[in-house]
Amino acid sequence: MKTLQEIVDRARRIVFFGGAGVSTASGIPDFRGENGLFRQKYGDLTPEMVLSASFFYLHPDRFFAFYREHMIHPDARPNAAHRKLFELEQAGKLTGLVTQNIDGLHRRAGNRLIYELHGSIDENYCMDCNKAYSLEWLLRTKGIPRCEECGGVVKPYVVLYGEAPDKYACTGACREIARCDTLIVAGTSLNVEPAASCLTYFRGRELVVINQDETPVDERATLVLRQDIAQAMEEIRV
């Protein structure tokens, strides 16, 4: 932790690249951990199959049943890691926050310099007329959510398997990673592409990894911490 503090103190442009492990302290299960969502079976289907674009179009009723039960956590609140990242942004240290999460907790914590590579549960839109709907509206619906204007299916603005991520989010994330001097990677196995490839743009001085398990960039890292992300981030003095 002393080394992490020294790195943060020296840094002028920090980018934080986070995954599901950042939100576990908020009560949201991760995906590939020991008890993660993707280690479970759902009848003859895997979560990857249910969360694919093809399954969404073929079986929207079953998709939304799974989505409401396992992907939306309306009672979750930002944890110490989210709050510390907001402090770092307010202090001018954090110049970009790249997340693979769709839970929207970084925005609820107050951060604005965010690149949501896989979208957000807070945004939903009609696939026919493009009318926007909130998460609160979606939670009041049952079955397949239908647009109040045209009757079209309302789809969450999240990237499903088989879909391309938002090009503007990816471009912005790669730009900020290329410009930063310090990159903190936390709570991600870096197994999901093309998100993981964003790290190839890093040319800075300090690379920090905070993750319980090994990642493909550990050997390049200045510092690797195998500890709770919320606890590690909370101890940083801004």
Side-chain angles (χ1 to χ4, degrees):
M1 287 307 304
K2 178 182 178 182
T3 303
L4 177 59
Q5 185 66 56
E6 291 172 350
I7 290 173
V8 171
D9 289 342
R10 287 195 299 267
R12 295 194 174 192
R13 298 184 65 89
I14 299 173
V15 167
F16 183 91
F17 185 102
V22 176
S23 294
T24 53
S26 296
I28 300 178
D30 65 6
F31 292 97
R32 292 177 173 79
E34 184 176 348
N35 299 310
L37 183 65
F38 284 8
R39 297 223 179 214
Q40 303 176 37
K41 286 283 188 178
Y42 299 90
D44 57 344
L45 301 173
T46 64
E48 290 98 328
M49 294 168 65
V50 180
L51 294 174
S52 68
S54 58
F55 192 88
F56 170 81
Y57 287 108
L58 291 170
H59 307 285
D61 52 339
R62 296 174 67 186
F63 169 86
F64 278 106
F66 181 93
Y67 180 77
R68 287 189 178 94
E69 181 177 356
H70 298 288
M71 304 304 293
I72 301 177
H73 303 273
D75 296 328
R77 296 292 179 266
N79 61 52
H82 299 104
R83 294 191 293 270
K84 185 61 64 173
L85 288 166
F86 175 63
E87 288 183 39
L88 287 166
E89 183 179 302
Q90 290 293 98
K93 284 273 191 179
L94 186 75
T95 57
L97 199 167
V98 183
T99 180
Q100 299 175 83
N101 297 340
I102 63 172
D103 52 45
L105 291 181
H106 288 298
R107 292 194 183 278
R108 292 175 202 173
N111 283 97
R112 291 296 175 265
L113 304 175
I114 307 173
Y115 300 91
E116 295 169 316
L117 299 181
H118 297 152
S120 171
I121 61 172
D122 291 327
E123 300 179 43
N124 306 272
Y125 67 95
C126 173
M127 299 178 68
D128 290 340
C129 71
N130 211 38
K131 179 178 172 60
Y133 289 92
S134 66
L135 174 62
E136 290 71 24
W137 177 90
L138 183 69
L139 290 172
R140 293 195 297 269
T141 65
K142 297 184 181 300
I144 302 172
R146 296 281 181 180
C147 177
E148 296 175 349
E149 298 291 332
C150 71
V153 175
V154 175
K155 181 183 183 296
Y157 187 60
V158 298
V159 178
L160 303 177
Y161 285 95
E163 291 183 327
D166 185 288
K167 64 179 180 180
Y168 298 106
C170 285
T171 300
C174 292
R175 181 187 65 243
E176 292 304 325
I177 289 173
R179 296 172 61 191
C180 73
D181 56 46
T182 301
L183 178 63
I184 300 176
V185 178
T188 173
S189 61
L190 296 176
N191 287 328
V192 177
E193 294 291 357
S197 294
C198 292
L199 270 63
T200 61
Y201 288 85
F202 179 61
R203 297 292 184 272
R205 183 177 61 248
E206 313 277 12
L207 173 61
V208 177
V209 176
I210 310 174
N211 203 54
Q212 297 289 358
D213 302 314
E214 292 183 4
T215 79
V217 300
D218 285 1
E219 292 184 358
R220 295 170 47 200
T222 309
L223 175 67
V224 177
L225 295 176
R226 300 274 186 248
Q227 67 182 87
D228 180 80
I229 298 163
Q231 179 183 354
M233 294 297 295
E234 186 176 29
E235 292 184 25
I236 294 174
R237 299 185 308 277
V238 179

